[in-house]
Amino acid sequence: MAKYKAVVEVKLKPGYLDPEGETAKLSLRELGYDVEDVRVSKVYEITLNADSREEAERLVEEMCVRLLSNPVKDDYSYRVEEI
């Protein structure tokens, strides 16, 4: 088995309110920055063991669907590399 590192980014789909991003945007404007929009996302760094890169990608996809994202409101992307 090889060891892989996956980086998964989960963010709200367009059209969903992002209160944390809105708060950051307002705070940055108060500090004098000309900010149009701020969106917040979550990043997961996962180390896993798998027999191949394809298996590691399949497992990460499964993790995203089963736990890390909500398909109704979230989009996600990931990359997997052997370490």
Side-chain angles (χ1 to χ4, degrees):
M1 277 197 156
K3 189 177 287 192
Y4 295 88
K5 178 182 175 184
V7 177
V8 179
E9 181 183 14
V10 180
K11 58 185 173 182
L12 289 170
K13 289 181 177 181
Y16 279 86
L17 295 178
D18 184 351
E20 193 173 352
E22 187 64 24
T23 298
K25 177 181 78 174
L26 294 174
S27 296
L28 288 168
R29 284 182 175 177
E30 287 176 7
L31 291 171
Y33 296 101
D34 186 15
V35 174
E36 281 191 35
D37 194 27
V38 176
R39 302 290 287 175
V40 175
S41 62
K42 296 177 191 172
V43 176
Y44 298 92
E45 291 184 13
I46 302 166
T47 303
L48 67 149
N49 298 309
D51 289 328
S52 67
R53 182 185 181 110
E54 291 78 17
E55 181 188 9
E57 290 175 347
R58 182 187 62 76
L59 292 169
V60 171
E61 176 72 24
E62 187 176 298
M63 292 175 200
C64 291
V65 170
R66 294 185 70 194
L67 178 70
L68 301 179
S69 72
N70 177 339
V72 172
K73 66 176 187 66
D74 295 326
D75 285 329
Y76 63 87
S77 61
Y78 58 85
R79 68 180 187 279
V80 176
E81 59 187 44
E82 189 171 356
I83 55 173

